[in-house]
């Protein structure tokens, strides 16, 4: 079953909060421990008026969820980040807040943004992006008034298309506030939809939900309240009436629930209303608005106090026309404490939505989608505990320092920077960075330097190493950092933003060495496609591996996949599938496949196999119908470095995949290489990967 649902409107004022209430009630009955989260709330700034829907849901369902934890950004904050080209940072923040809520509850109801103000232009896309990255099926809320107008179901179709284009699963749609007198037309409208299989529920309009409370009227008008302020939150204005005629006429037209507007020059009409309210058969109006600055005082005020069935009386400086216009534009909300509205909304949802069907849809809605953001966030979370100590030999490089700041502030790992200590400290200050608790080490001045030199000499003396050579080499930060890992003073090392791959890997090969049973060090890239993560190896180290080496790469890559939460199904790639082709290269892959199966019989391994048969279920049914790997491979082993390196770069560029790596595998302790063109994000991700590898080795 899905662990969440994303309630999103197609436009403003669709009644999304009422639907969120209903979905919460439904899931509380089915699951029990249900949380609530809004990625983006309306408003310009934090600390302003609390978001109505957050306070409504958390208070009504008595959620143990502090207000600030129930949302990520205000709409103004989100818009500013997007305009600054920081959509990635926006999603990072939302994911962090969402996951904190999800960790505390069995199920989370998420409510999308409000389609108001200057943010509406990007809201379809950003809501789809959010839903995709938290792997939430979408429940669409459509303004029922717009159905049948302007292209029949075009409004719903557009919304479904927008979310599906964003690779979201649309669970169902609710046509909210559908006109009761047009309910018979609904089947005909649904037949015009482009998505006839989409479950659609219609909730009829309820005047009670649309009617503003007197407290909302007072707030909208900026009114001063006289008499019965205690009734502001219990009386609703279901209609409006202007006392601009004789008392005989307008009193006869008054209806229960009416909000009465009386101008200051219509004193007689006020007296008439007082008499009516004090009569044996009073009309149950919602309240009175005195316009043009009219305030009850003196004898009039004294009389009003004597009225038995008195209602709230508001005074505003505005004209009657201005006041009526302002109230007519008022969009009433279901706010905390509005008991009648809450009860009505829940009753409407339960009676007009097939809640069992909706729950059944949620049971099968788990998409299994893993977006790059989801994967990266998962890396960060896993790296944080138990915390590892990672050494960065290129401590004088700006990108390394920026990344170190993120690593420390996000609690990913403890960091050791190698280099000239004064130079590094000066750079930290110059760049305005905050690196709490960072350890800066200058190799030749370290108290461990002499011990490292002696150890290196002992390890390499049979290879012609001399003490003087050992001292010179150990002054190099890459060698010093690797020795820290070897000695257990660091759990892993990340380098390569300045140094070559060879310079990063060579020290590790010399004294950290390969794991028992393996003769080769290799690499993989974690390829984050838009909906899943694949593992590609070897794309960075071994130019022309033998069959034995290919087998080792396959098994090691499968183990790496498992370490990072990818279920391994290994495809040994070739230009031929099965027994369809021959040649030395195909035979090498065939031999490697058999060797890998013997090394790890528990792993599903297929080869030789072409890439299309490995990823495409249709091709797989034709070429390898009985294979457990074909059509659903997750680990791809390339026959040589040329093929692997070019393929990962082609997929990265053409499919917009995020390539994380190279992840070096096969060493006793983790050392990872960076591309010299790496970004700060690349460095942070590689540090997290190294920390996770270190955790797995303990």
């Amino acid at each position: 079953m899905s662990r969440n649902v994303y309630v999103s409107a197609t436009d403003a004022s669709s009644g999304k909060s009422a639907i969120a209430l209903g979905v919460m009630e439904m899931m509380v009955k089915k699951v029990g421990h249900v949380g609530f989260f809004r990625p983006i709330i309306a408003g310009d700034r934090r600390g302003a008026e609390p978001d109505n829907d957050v306070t409504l849901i958390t208070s009504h369902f008595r959620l143990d969820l502090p207000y600030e934890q129930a949302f990520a950004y205000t709409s103004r904050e989100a818009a500013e980040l997007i305009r600054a080209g920081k959509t990635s940072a926006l999603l990072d923040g939302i994911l962090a807040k969402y996951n904190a809520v999800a960790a505390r509850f069995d199920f989370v109801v998420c409510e999308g943004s409000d389609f108001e103000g200057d943010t509406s232009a990007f809201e379809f896309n950003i809501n789809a992006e959010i839903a995709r990255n938290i792997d939430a099926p979408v429940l669409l809320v459509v303004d029922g008034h717009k159905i049948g107008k302007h292209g029949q179901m075009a409004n719903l179709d557009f919304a479904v298309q927008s979310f599906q284009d964003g690779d979201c699963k649309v669970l169902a749609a609710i046509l909210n506030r559908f006109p009761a007198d047009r309910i018979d037309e609904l089947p005909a409208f649904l037949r015009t939809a482009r998505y006839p299989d989409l479950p659609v529920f219609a909730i009829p309009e309820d005047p009670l939900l649309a009617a503003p409370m007197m407290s909302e009227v007072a707030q909208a008008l900026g009114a001063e309240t006289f008499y019965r302020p205690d009734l502001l939150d219990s009386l609703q204005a279901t209609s409006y009436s202007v006392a601009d005629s004789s008392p005989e006429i307008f009193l006869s037209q008054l209806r229960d629930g009416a909000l009465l507007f009386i101008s200051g020059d219509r004193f007689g009409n006020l007296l008439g209303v007082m008499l009516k309210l004090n009569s044996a058969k009073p009309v149950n109006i919602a309240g009175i608005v005195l316009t043009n600055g009219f305030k009850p005082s003196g004898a009039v005020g004294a009389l009003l106090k004597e009225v038995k069935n008195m209602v709230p009386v508001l005074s505003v400086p505005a004209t009657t026309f201005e006041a009526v216009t302002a109230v007519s534009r008022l969009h009433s909300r279901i706010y905390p404490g509005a008991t009648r509205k809450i009860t009505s909304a829940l009753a409407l949802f339960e009676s007009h939505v097939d809640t069992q069907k909706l729950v059944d849809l949620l049971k099968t809605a788990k998409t299994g989608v893993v977006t790059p953001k989801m994967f990266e966030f998962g890396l960060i979370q896993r790296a944080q505990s138990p915390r590892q100590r990672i050494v960065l030999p290129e401590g004088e490089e700006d990108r390394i320092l920026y990344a170190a700041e993120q690593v420390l502030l996000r609690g990913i790992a403890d960091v050791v920077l190698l280099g000239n200590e004064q130079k590094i400290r000066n750079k930290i200050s110059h760049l305005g960075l905050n690196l709490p608790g960072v350890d800066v080490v200058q190799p030749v001045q370290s108290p461990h330097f002499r011990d490292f030199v002696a150890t290196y000499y002992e390890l390499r003396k049979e290879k012609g190493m001399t003490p003087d050579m050992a001292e010179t080499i150990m002054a190099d930060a890459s060698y010093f950092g690797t020795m820290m890992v070897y000695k257990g003073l660091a759990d892993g090392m990340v380098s390569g933003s300045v140094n070559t791959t060879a310079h990063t890997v060579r020290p590790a090969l010399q004294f950290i060495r390969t794991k028992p049973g393996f003769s080769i060090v290799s690499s993989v890239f974690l390829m984050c496609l838009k909906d899943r993560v694949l593992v590609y190896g070897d794309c960075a180290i071994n130019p022309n591996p033998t069959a034995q080496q290919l087998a080792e790469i396959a098994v090691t890559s499968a183990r790496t996949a498992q370490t990072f939460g990818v279920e391994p199904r290994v495809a040994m790639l070739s230009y031929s599938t099965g027994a369809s082709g021959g040649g030395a290269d195909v035979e090498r892959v065939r031999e490697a496949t058999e060797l890998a199966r013997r090394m790890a019989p528990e792993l599903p391994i297929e080869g030789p196999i072409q890439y299309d048969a490995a990823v495409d279920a249709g091709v797989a049914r034709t070429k390898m119908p009985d294979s457990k790997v074909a059509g659903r491979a997750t680990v791809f082993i390339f026959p040589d470095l040329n093929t692997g390196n070019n393929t990962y770069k082609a997929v990265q560029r053409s499919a917009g995949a995020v390539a994380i790596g190279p992840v070096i595998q096969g060493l006793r302790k983790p050392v990872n290489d960076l591309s010299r063109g790496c970004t700060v994000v690349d460095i942070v991700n590689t540090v997290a990967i190294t920390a996770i590898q270190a955790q797995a080795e303990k």
Side-chain angles (χ1 to χ4, degrees):
M1 182 175 182
S2 175
R3 291 194 64 223
N4 55 15
V5 66
Y6 198 90
V7 182
S8 184
T10 59
D11 43 24
S13 305
S14 57
K16 173 165 53 61
S17 57
I19 305 305
L21 267 172
V23 175
M24 281 291 300
E25 179 91 348
M26 175 184 76
M27 296 312 300
V28 165
K29 292 177 180 178
K30 297 293 183 180
V31 177
H33 199 41
V34 182
F36 182 74
F37 179 69
R38 294 203 71 187
I40 302 171
I41 62 172
D44 291 343
R45 68 187 190 279
R46 291 174 189 266
E49 183 180 354
D51 181 73
N52 181 80
D53 291 6
V54 171
T55 54
L56 168 66
I57 298 290
T58 56
S59 63
H60 181 75
F61 293 99
R62 299 182 177 87
L63 301 185
D64 180 19
L65 184 64
Y67 175 76
E68 286 289 336
Q69 296 180 19
F71 74 96
Y73 295 98
T74 67
S75 57
R76 176 60 60 85
E77 291 169 342
E80 287 175 351
L81 285 170
I82 290 171
R83 283 194 284 265
K86 297 181 178 180
T87 303
S88 181
L90 172 71
L91 291 172
D92 284 341
I94 290 171
L95 273 170
K97 294 295 287 283
Y98 166 77
N99 279 284
V101 174
R104 296 181 53 198
F105 296 91
D106 299 322
F107 190 92
V108 182
V109 176
C110 303
E111 184 186 334
S113 55
D114 292 329
F115 286 85
E116 295 178 350
D118 60 359
T119 64
S120 59
F122 65 78
E123 292 194 50
F124 262 123
N125 290 337
I126 199 64
N127 277 298
E129 189 74 4
I130 294 167
R132 186 169 72 92
N133 276 283
I134 64 174
D135 196 19
V138 177
L139 178 63
L140 285 174
V141 183
V142 184
D143 185 354
H145 283 273
K146 298 182 178 181
I147 300 300
K149 301 177 180 178
H150 311 297
Q152 308 259 336
M153 298 293 288
N155 197 38
L156 174 61
D157 289 338
F158 174 77
V160 175
Q161 185 68 52
S162 297
F163 279 95
Q164 289 188 346
D165 288 347
D167 296 307
C168 297
K169 179 177 179 58
V170 180
L171 192 74
I174 294 178
L175 311 181
N176 194 36
R177 301 191 298 122
F178 198 90
D181 59 350
R182 295 172 55 211
I183 201 75
D184 293 340
E185 303 173 27
L186 184 58
F189 295 149
L190 292 176
R191 285 196 294 271
T192 69
R194 289 171 55 193
Y195 305 95
D197 296 330
L198 179 71
V200 178
F201 309 102
I203 297 178
E205 185 171 26
D206 183 356
L208 184 67
L209 292 179
M213 307 302 296
M214 284 301 299
S215 57
E216 294 178 289
V217 173
Q219 184 177 8
L221 295 176
E224 185 178 355
T225 303
F226 298 86
Y227 311 105
R228 304 307 306 268
D230 57 304
L231 297 178
L232 289 174
D233 282 322
S234 57
L235 295 179
Q236 291 178 266
T238 57
S239 64
Y240 310 128
S241 182
V242 179
D244 59 354
S245 58
S246 67
E248 290 84 358
I249 296 175
F250 84 79
L251 287 175
S252 65
Q253 297 173 344
L254 271 183
R255 298 292 182 266
D256 288 349
L259 176 61
L260 183 61
F261 294 85
I262 303 177
S263 175
D265 60 358
R266 297 278 182 172
F267 177 72
N269 288 347
L270 177 60
L271 292 177
V273 173
M274 291 166 58
L275 290 170
K276 183 67 175 175
L277 292 174
N278 216 35
S279 66
K281 295 183 179 179
V283 61
N284 298 314
I285 63 174
I288 300 170
V289 178
L290 304 178
T291 62
N292 294 300
F294 180 34
K295 297 181 181 181
S297 61
V300 175
L303 284 172
L304 288 170
K305 290 181 180 179
E306 301 299 321
V307 177
K308 291 187 297 185
N309 299 299
M310 197 59 201
V311 294
V313 178
L314 312 180
S315 174
V316 297
T319 66
T320 300
F321 176 79
E322 291 169 340
V324 171
T325 301
V327 173
S328 65
R329 292 173 177 172
L330 177 61
H331 174 62
S332 182
R333 303 176 299 176
I334 305 175
Y335 59 87
T339 306
R340 291 180 65 201
K341 285 194 174 187
I342 293 171
T343 302
S344 179
L346 292 174
L348 281 168
F349 186 91
E350 190 166 3
S351 58
H352 294 279
V353 175
D354 188 340
T355 56
Q356 187 56 56
K357 183 175 182 177
L358 204 54
V359 170
D360 290 342
L361 289 169
L362 282 167
K363 288 179 180 178
T364 59
K366 193 65 177 176
T367 65
V369 167
V370 180
T371 69
K373 279 293 176 187
M374 291 166 65
F375 187 73
E376 289 177 8
F377 188 85
L379 288 180
I380 302 305
Q381 278 195 314
R382 289 187 59 190
Q384 290 170 336
S385 181
R387 193 152 161 171
Q388 304 295 297
R389 182 175 167 87
I390 307 300
V391 59
L392 305 176
E394 300 158 328
E396 298 174 13
E397 163 68 23
D398 288 6
R399 289 170 296 168
I400 294 293
L401 294 174
Y402 280 114
E405 179 184 55
Q406 291 194 28
V407 168
L408 289 170
L409 293 178
R410 297 171 74 178
I412 298 170
D414 295 322
V415 171
V416 182
L417 299 173
L418 302 185
N420 184 293
E421 182 171 5
Q422 189 60 52
K423 188 174 180 179
I424 291 173
R425 298 288 185 190
N426 288 341
K427 274 204 169 188
I428 292 172
S429 176
H430 176 72
L431 296 171
L433 301 176
N434 178 22
L435 277 72
V438 70
D439 192 3
V440 181
V441 176
Q442 192 163 335
V444 295
Q445 296 180 2
S446 167
H448 302 290
F449 183 70
R450 288 297 163 193
D451 176 58
F452 285 10
V453 170
T455 301
Y456 185 58
Y457 168 70
E458 287 295 326
L459 291 170
R460 301 290 294 173
K461 62 184 181 181
E462 295 182 0
K463 302 289 186 181
M465 184 62 58
T466 68
D468 287 344
M469 290 170 61
E471 183 171 347
T472 300
I473 292 172
M474 196 50 59
D476 182 284
S478 288
Y479 279 81
F480 188 92
T482 307
M483 187 61 76
M484 287 182 68
V485 176
Y486 177 76
K487 289 281 192 175
L489 298 174
D491 299 302
M493 186 181 85
V494 174
S495 186
S497 67
V498 177
N499 295 311
T500 63
T501 296
H503 194 72
T504 298
V505 176
R506 187 182 298 113
L509 292 174
Q510 289 182 357
F511 48 91
I512 289 180
R513 299 176 183 168
T514 58
K515 292 179 178 179
F518 292 87
S519 64
I520 191 172
V521 171
S522 59
S523 72
V524 295
F525 278 90
L526 303 173
M527 301 297 294
C528 302
L529 281 65
K530 64 182 181 180
D531 59 351
R532 63 192 185 278
V533 177
L534 304 177
V535 178
Y536 284 8
D538 180 356
C539 304
I541 294 180
N542 298 285
N544 293 290
T546 65
Q548 176 64 38
Q549 290 172 333
L550 271 179
E552 290 186 18
I553 292 170
V555 174
T556 309
S557 298
R559 302 289 186 238
T560 298
Q562 290 174 320
T563 298
F564 294 101
V566 177
E567 182 182 353
R569 293 185 289 274
V570 184
M572 307 291 287
L573 296 175
S574 175
Y575 60 78
S576 174
T577 295
S580 66
D585 290 337
V586 176
E587 292 304 317
R588 178 167 57 92
V589 174
R590 184 172 286 116
E591 181 185 354
T593 302
E594 293 305 316
L595 288 170
R597 286 170 174 167
R598 288 200 290 272
M599 292 172 66
E602 76 283 0
L603 290 175
I605 303 174
E606 190 68 77
I609 186 171
Q610 293 162 290
Y611 193 95
D612 60 346
V615 298
D616 189 297
V619 176
R621 283 192 294 271
T622 301
K623 294 187 175 184
M624 283 190 151
D626 299 323
S627 174
K628 295 180 180 179
V629 174
R632 52 199 297 266
T634 57
V635 179
F636 298 79
I637 306 303
F638 296 94
D640 54 65
L641 182 60
N642 182 52
T643 306
N645 192 270
N646 279 292
T647 302
Y648 105 77
K649 288 179 179 177
V651 172
Q652 182 185 28
R653 300 301 179 187
S654 62
V658 176
I660 300 176
V663 180
I664 297 177
Q665 54 189 18
L667 292 168
R668 293 174 185 263
K669 294 185 177 182
V671 172
N672 277 308
D673 181 42
L674 298 164
S675 153
R676 276 169 285 179
C678 64
T679 65
V680 171
V681 173
D682 294 333
I683 300 168
V684 173
N685 285 338
T686 304
V687 170
I689 283 170
T690 307
I692 294 168
Q693 287 179 305
Q695 293 168 353
E697 297 298 330
K698 295 180 176 180

Coordinates of all heavy atoms in Angstrom, one line a residue, residues 372-385 410-412 526 528 533 560 563-565 658 660-661 663 681-682 684-693 695:
P372 N 15.9 10.8 -8.9 CA 17.2 11.1 -8.4 C 17.2 11.8 -7.1 O 18.0 11.6 -6.3 CB 17.7 12.1 -9.6 CG 17.0 11.6 -10.8 CD 15.6 11.2 -10.3
K373 N 16.2 12.7 -6.9 CA 16.1 13.4 -5.6 C 15.9 12.5 -4.4 O 16.4 12.6 -3.4 CB 15.0 14.5 -5.6 CG 15.5 15.8 -6.3 CD 16.5 16.5 -5.5 CE 17.1 17.7 -6.1 NZ 18.2 18.3 -5.4
M374 N 15.0 11.5 -4.7 CA 14.7 10.5 -3.6 C 15.9 9.7 -3.3 O 16.2 9.4 -2.1 CB 13.5 9.6 -4.1 CG 12.2 10.2 -4.2 SD 11.0 9.2 -5.2 CE 10.9 7.8 -4.1
F375 N 16.6 9.3 -4.4 CA 17.8 8.5 -4.1 C 18.9 9.3 -3.4 O 19.5 8.8 -2.5 CB 18.4 8.0 -5.5 CG 19.5 7.0 -5.3 CD1 19.2 5.7 -4.9 CD2 20.8 7.3 -5.6 CE1 20.3 4.8 -4.7 CE2 21.8 6.4 -5.5 CZ 21.6 5.1 -5.0
E376 N 19.1 10.5 -3.9 CA 20.1 11.3 -3.2 C 19.8 11.6 -1.8 O 20.7 11.5 -0.9 CB 20.3 12.7 -4.0 CG 21.0 12.5 -5.3 CD 21.0 13.8 -6.1 OE1 20.7 14.9 -5.5 OE2 21.4 13.8 -7.3
F377 N 18.5 11.8 -1.5 CA 18.1 12.1 -0.1 C 18.3 10.8 0.7 O 18.7 10.9 1.9 CB 16.6 12.5 -0.1 CG 16.2 13.0 1.3 CD1 16.4 14.3 1.7 CD2 15.6 12.1 2.1 CE1 16.0 14.7 2.9 CE2 15.2 12.5 3.4 CZ 15.4 13.8 3.8
G378 N 18.0 9.7 0.1 CA 18.2 8.4 0.9 C 19.7 8.2 1.2 O 20.0 7.7 2.3
L379 N 20.5 8.6 0.3 CA 22.0 8.4 0.5 C 22.3 9.3 1.8 O 23.1 8.8 2.7 CB 22.8 8.9 -0.7 CG 22.8 8.1 -1.9 CD1 23.7 8.8 -3.0 CD2 23.4 6.7 -1.6
I380 N 21.9 10.5 1.8 CA 22.2 11.4 2.9 C 21.7 10.9 4.2 O 22.4 10.8 5.2 CB 21.6 12.8 2.6 CG1 22.1 13.4 1.3 CG2 21.9 13.7 3.8 CD1 23.6 13.5 1.2
Q381 N 20.5 10.4 4.2 CA 19.9 9.8 5.4 C 20.7 8.6 5.9 O 20.9 8.5 7.1 CB 18.4 9.4 5.2 CG 17.4 10.6 5.3 CD 16.0 10.1 5.4 OE1 15.6 9.2 4.7 NE2 15.3 10.6 6.3
R382 N 21.0 7.7 5.0 CA 21.8 6.5 5.4 C 23.2 6.9 5.9 O 23.7 6.2 6.9 CB 21.9 5.5 4.3 CG 20.5 4.9 3.9 CD 20.7 3.8 2.9 NE 21.7 2.8 3.3 CZ 22.2 1.8 2.5 NH1 21.8 1.8 1.3 NH2 23.0 0.9 3.0
A383 N 23.8 7.8 5.3 CA 25.2 8.2 5.7 C 25.2 8.8 7.1 O 26.2 8.7 7.8 CB 25.7 9.2 4.7
Q384 N 24.1 9.4 7.5 CA 24.1 10.2 8.8 C 24.3 9.3 10.0 O 24.8 9.8 11.0 CB 22.9 11.0 8.9 CG 22.8 12.2 7.9 CD 21.4 12.8 7.9 OE1 20.4 12.2 8.2 NE2 21.4 14.1 7.4
S385 N 24.0 8.0 9.9 CA 24.0 7.2 11.1 C 24.3 5.7 10.8 O 23.6 5.1 9.9 CB 22.7 7.3 11.9 OG 22.8 6.5 13.1
R410 N 24.8 19.2 7.4 CA 23.7 18.2 7.2 C 24.0 16.9 8.0 O 23.2 16.0 7.9 CB 23.5 17.9 5.7 CG 23.1 19.1 4.9 CD 23.1 18.9 3.4 NE 22.0 18.0 3.0 CZ 21.8 17.7 1.7 NH1 22.6 18.1 0.8 NH2 20.8 16.9 1.4
G411 N 25.1 16.9 8.7 CA 25.4 15.7 9.5 C 25.7 14.5 8.8 O 25.5 13.4 9.2
I412 N 26.2 14.6 7.5 CA 26.5 13.4 6.7 C 27.7 12.7 7.2 O 27.7 11.4 7.2 CB 26.7 13.9 5.2 CG1 25.4 14.6 4.7 CG2 27.1 12.7 4.3 CD1 25.6 15.3 3.3
L526 N 26.1 4.9 -10.3 CA 24.7 4.8 -9.9 C 24.0 5.8 -10.8 O 24.0 7.0 -10.7 CB 24.5 5.2 -8.5 CG 25.4 4.3 -7.5 CD1 25.3 4.9 -6.1 CD2 25.0 2.9 -7.5
C528 N 20.8 7.5 -11.9 CA 19.5 7.9 -11.5 C 18.7 8.4 -12.6 O 18.8 9.5 -13.0 CB 19.6 8.9 -10.4 SG 20.6 8.4 -8.9
V533 N 16.8 3.6 -10.3 CA 18.2 3.7 -10.3 C 18.8 2.4 -10.8 O 18.4 1.3 -10.5 CB 18.7 3.9 -8.8 CG1 20.2 3.9 -8.7 CG2 18.1 5.2 -8.2
T560 N 27.5 -4.0 -4.5 CA 27.4 -2.5 -4.4 C 25.9 -2.1 -4.6 O 25.4 -1.3 -3.8 CB 28.3 -1.8 -5.5 OG1 29.6 -2.2 -5.2 CG2 28.1 -0.3 -5.4
T563 N 24.1 -2.7 -1.4 CA 24.5 -1.7 -0.4 C 23.7 -0.5 -0.5 O 23.3 0.2 0.5 CB 26.0 -1.4 -0.5 OG1 26.8 -2.6 -0.3 CG2 26.4 -0.3 0.5
F564 N 23.3 -0.1 -1.8 CA 22.6 1.2 -2.0 C 21.1 1.0 -2.3 O 20.5 1.8 -2.9 CB 23.3 2.0 -3.1 CG 24.7 2.4 -2.7 CD1 25.8 1.8 -3.1 CD2 24.8 3.5 -1.8 CE1 27.1 2.2 -2.7 CE2 26.1 3.9 -1.4 CZ 27.2 3.3 -1.9
G565 N 20.6 -0.2 -1.9 CA 19.2 -0.4 -2.0 C 18.6 -0.8 -3.3 O 17.4 -0.7 -3.5
V658 N 21.0 11.4 -13.7 CA 22.0 11.8 -12.8 C 23.0 10.7 -12.6 O 22.6 9.6 -12.1 CB 21.4 12.3 -11.5 CG1 22.5 12.7 -10.5 CG2 20.5 13.5 -11.7
I660 N 25.9 9.2 -10.5 CA 26.6 9.4 -9.3 C 27.8 8.4 -9.3 O 27.6 7.2 -9.4 CB 25.7 9.1 -8.1 CG1 24.5 10.1 -8.1 CG2 26.5 9.2 -6.8 CD1 23.5 9.9 -6.9
G661 N 29.0 8.9 -9.2 CA 30.2 8.1 -9.2 C 31.3 8.8 -9.9 O 31.3 10.0 -10.1
V663 N 31.9 5.0 -8.3 CA 32.0 4.4 -7.0 C 33.0 3.3 -7.1 O 32.8 2.3 -7.9 CB 30.6 3.8 -6.5 CG1 30.8 3.2 -5.2 CG2 29.6 4.9 -6.5
V681 N 27.6 19.4 -5.5 CA 26.7 18.3 -5.2 C 27.3 16.9 -5.4 O 27.1 16.0 -4.7 CB 25.4 18.5 -6.1 CG1 24.5 17.3 -5.9 CG2 24.7 19.8 -5.7
D682 N 28.1 16.8 -6.5 CA 28.8 15.5 -6.8 C 29.7 15.1 -5.6 O 29.7 14.0 -5.2 CB 29.6 15.6 -8.0 CG 28.8 15.8 -9.3 OD1 27.6 15.4 -9.3 OD2 29.3 16.4 -10.3
V684 N 29.4 16.1 -2.4 CA 28.6 15.7 -1.3 C 28.1 14.3 -1.4 O 28.1 13.5 -0.5 CB 27.4 16.7 -1.1 CG1 26.5 16.3 0.0 CG2 28.0 18.1 -0.8
N685 N 27.5 14.0 -2.6 CA 27.0 12.7 -2.8 C 28.1 11.6 -2.7 O 27.8 10.5 -2.1 CB 26.4 12.6 -4.2 CG 25.0 13.3 -4.3 OD1 24.4 13.5 -3.3 ND2 24.6 13.6 -5.5
T686 N 29.3 11.9 -3.2 CA 30.4 10.9 -3.1 C 30.8 10.7 -1.7 O 31.1 9.6 -1.3 CB 31.5 11.3 -4.0 OG1 31.1 11.5 -5.4 CG2 32.6 10.3 -4.0
V687 N 30.8 11.7 -0.9 CA 31.1 11.6 0.5 C 30.1 10.7 1.2 O 30.4 9.8 2.0 CB 31.2 13.0 1.2 CG1 31.3 12.8 2.7 CG2 32.4 13.8 0.7
A688 N 28.8 10.9 0.9 CA 27.7 10.1 1.5 C 27.9 8.6 1.0 O 27.8 7.7 1.9 CB 26.4 10.6 1.0
I689 N 28.2 8.4 -0.2 CA 28.5 7.0 -0.7 C 29.6 6.4 0.0 O 29.5 5.2 0.4 CB 28.7 7.1 -2.2 CG1 27.4 7.3 -3.0 CG2 29.4 5.8 -2.7 CD1 27.6 7.6 -4.5
T690 N 30.7 7.1 0.2 CA 31.9 6.6 0.9 C 31.5 6.3 2.3 O 32.0 5.2 2.9 CB 33.0 7.6 0.8 OG1 33.2 8.0 -0.5 CG2 34.3 7.0 1.4
A691 N 30.7 7.1 3.0 CA 30.3 6.8 4.4 C 29.5 5.6 4.4 O 29.7 4.7 5.3 CB 29.5 8.0 4.9
I692 N 28.6 5.4 3.5 CA 27.7 4.2 3.5 C 28.6 2.9 3.2 O 28.4 1.9 3.8 CB 26.6 4.3 2.4 CG1 25.7 5.4 2.8 CG2 25.9 3.0 2.2 CD1 24.7 5.8 1.7
Q693 N 29.5 3.0 2.3 CA 30.5 1.9 2.1 C 31.2 1.6 3.4 O 31.4 0.4 3.7 CB 31.4 2.2 1.0 CG 30.8 2.2 -0.4 CD 31.9 2.6 -1.5 OE1 32.5 3.6 -1.4 NE2 32.1 1.7 -2.4
Q695 N 30.2 2.1 6.4 CA 29.3 1.4 7.3 C 29.2 0.0 7.0 O 29.2 -0.9 7.9 CB 27.9 2.1 7.2 CG 27.9 3.6 7.8 CD 26.6 4.3 7.4 OE1 25.8 3.7 6.6 NE2 26.4 5.5 7.9

